[in-house]
Amino acid sequence: MWNQDQKTYQIQRELNIRKIIIITFIVIFIIALVVLFSLYIADIEFRKWIDTNLLRKEINTEDISTIDLNTDKNNQIFCYDKYIGILNDKTLKLYDTFGTETQDISVNINTAIFASNDKYLAIAEKNGQEFCVISEKNYLWGDKVDGEILQITVNQNGYVALVTTDTTYKSIITLYDATGKSILRNFLSSTKAIDVTISTDNQYVAFAEIDTSGTLIQSSVKIISVEKAQTDPEQAIIYTKQNENSKMIVKVQYQEKNNLICVYDDTINLIQNGNESQLLSVDQEMTFLSGNLNNSISYIKEETTGLFASSSVLYIINTANQQSTTYQFDEVAKEMYTYGNIIGINIGTEIYFINTNGMLIKKYTSNQEITNVILSNQLAIIIYKDKIEIIDL
């Protein structure tokens, strides 16, 4: 009996020791992960070493898929979601991230302007009358309008805003729902709409306009309530901001939570709940800037690091809380591309892809100079005369 109790005690003791060892190991492992993650966030050099040697975020031409182009054709190229589209001879050919053709879609469009948002692609005939909407690999709907198409945009729910012109009006803004039904029209007789955007909840359409009828060009921003446009059209415009003669609007962009970003020639402003505030003052040291992101604005500044050496710093400002994040490059940026939560920085034969949290997604090194890049939420394409290089993000 005593031996049996002693044996039971010994087994229980060994189990307790084993539990203590396992718990200790787990605690040490968690502490190590926290320390490594903290270093990864805080230490730029450590982060770059991890990205390069452990996470393998650096890729080159041998690591990616390509699509060969027929140089005898007028290839019009775009990407959206996880697809690459090539339009020529009124046929839109769709390819996946491996460069494999997956779909052919007939469209009555020759010279196209494109707009995309997540799985939606909107295509219109430049200065023509035809346009259509694609969702993933499917043709959803199309239409023909009077006048000439100047601009097209689409939000993540498939709502489309079209800017047209005719002999009577300089600009006509028309909003279509996801089924292709026209639900709003706004006519501008003396001003021209230079940009238009649709809110994420489909409830508002904002546009930037310029008035060239006077001696000085004047710009303004207006917001249309979709609901009021259907019930009380005369009261549909719920916000108007007319700028000083010296201030020129460049772009408007709805972001998350219906935050409206207004990019001017001298500032970037935020309109939130009917109130406009300044997010950024533009200065000459900024080489590139953008408000074309889901929840941020971004800009690049060059810094002198030596007698004949310069580097670039990417600044990312979250528009919801105004918190700033930076990412530094040892080279001078030649171009910046933005889409969704992705920022692409072209430095010649290399391109960095950074998310809006300031973390490296991929760094790609090409065999030749990079000049033409298009982003979607899942991939980037680099376009050359004879081929397309596909980078899966």
Side-chain angles (χ1 to χ4, degrees), residues 20-129:
I20 292 171
I21 293 172
I22 292 172
I23 292 172
T24 302
F25 176 80
I26 292 172
V27 170
I28 293 172
F29 180 73
I30 291 173
I31 292 172
L33 281 180
V34 171
V35 170
L36 287 173
F37 183 75
S38 300
L39 284 171
Y40 183 80
I41 297 296
D43 191 317
I44 295 175
E45 293 304 320
F46 180 75
R47 186 193 311 164
K48 289 182 178 180
W49 187 89
I50 292 291
D51 286 343
T52 302
N53 296 286
L54 295 183
L55 300 181
R56 303 295 181 185
K57 292 185 178 182
E58 293 195 9
I59 58 174
N60 55 42
T61 306
E62 286 71 32
D63 302 317
I64 63 170
S65 301
T66 60
I67 300 171
D68 292 327
L69 296 174
N70 184 344
T71 56
D72 294 330
K73 292 188 175 182
N74 178 28
N75 297 304
Q76 299 167 79
I77 302 164
F78 205 81
C79 71
Y80 66 103
D81 198 33
K82 55 186 177 182
Y83 303 103
I84 301 99
I86 302 176
L87 174 65
N88 53 52
D89 299 331
K90 295 187 177 182
T91 299
L92 178 68
K93 294 182 181 292
L94 298 180
Y95 298 80
D96 60 21
T97 54
F98 299 103
T100 303
E101 185 178 337
T102 61
Q103 188 72 293
D104 279 8
I105 301 175
S106 295
V107 294
N108 192 28
I109 294 170
N110 287 306
T111 303
I113 51 176
F114 297 91
S116 72
N117 205 319
D118 287 342
K119 67 178 182 178
Y120 292 100
L121 175 67
I123 313 171
E125 183 77 47
K126 184 178 180 181
N127 301 124
Q129 298 176 305

Side-chain angles (χ1 to χ4, degrees), residues 141 143 155 158-161 173-186 198 201-205 224-233 236:
W141 59 274
D143 203 356
N155 75 354
Y159 278 57
V160 172
I173 300 171
T174 307
L175 179 68
Y176 300 84
D177 68 14
T179 66
K181 178 184 176 182
S182 173
I183 58 175
L184 179 155
R185 297 198 87 190
N186 187 263
I198 311 165
D201 63 0
N202 316 320
Q203 294 302 305
Y204 304 99
V205 175
I224 306 170
S225 166
V226 175
E227 180 182 1
K228 287 189 176 182
Q230 298 174 58
T231 58
D232 189 5

